[in-house]
Amino acid sequence: MSRKRIIAVAAHKGGVGKSTISNTLTSGLANQGHRVAWVDLDPQGQDALWFGMAKRPGLYNMLVKGQTALSQLVEVPPAQWAIHSPPRGSLAILPGDRTNQTVWREVDDVHLLRHK
């Protein structure tokens, strides 16, 4: 049985390396053979850009529009992160954009608990 873990990288101040740490951590875990899902909560939506992907309202679509997380996850091509061929793990991202800042105004605690 595989164990699922959640790792959060957070800080209130900008420019302290959150995206750099997240990029390195997720790529490293995928290269070790783990299946990794990266959720971008930042309203700047920069995390998808790390992997040459477009920003999009993944979190907003999931929590406000009721779409499934699986429908919003985007597989990151192994060429963007893998150091082994064939790749050992997988990496997907739930991209974000400026709509992330509106999620917290439109979603209440009860709604969030239903997505647990």
Side-chain angles (χ1 to χ4, degrees):
M1 180 173 130
S2 66
R3 294 177 12 179
K4 296 178 183 175
R5 296 186 188 244
I6 297 173
I7 301 171
V9 178
H12 287 283
K13 186 176 180 335
V16 295
K18 297 179 297 289
S19 292
T20 302
I21 290 169
S22 297
N23 174 288
T24 304
L25 184 62
T26 56
S27 296
L29 288 168
N31 277 298
Q32 288 182 351
H34 297 279
R35 292 176 56 207
V36 179
W38 180 354
V39 178
D40 184 3
L41 301 177
D42 190 343
Q44 292 182 36
Q46 295 296 318
D47 294 337
L49 299 178
W50 276 92
F51 296 110
M53 303 170 74
K55 299 177 187 183
R56 53 178 244 205
L59 185 71
Y60 182 86
N61 287 344
M62 187 181 89
L63 294 178
V64 177
K65 296 206 171 194
Q67 297 179 11
T68 66
L70 281 177
S71 74
Q72 295 305 302
L73 277 171
V74 179
E75 192 74 27
V76 179
Q80 300 293 344
W81 58 266
I83 58 173
H84 305 286
S85 183
R88 293 185 178 164
S90 64
L91 176 56
I93 187 168
L94 183 78
D97 65 3
R98 59 185 170 73
T99 61
N100 282 1
Q101 66 192 5
T102 66
V103 168
W104 314 116
R105 288 186 292 228
E106 298 189 38
V107 177
D108 61 17
D109 291 342
V110 173
H111 182 84
L112 285 174
L113 291 174
R114 278 186 255 137
H115 277 68
K116 188 173 181 184

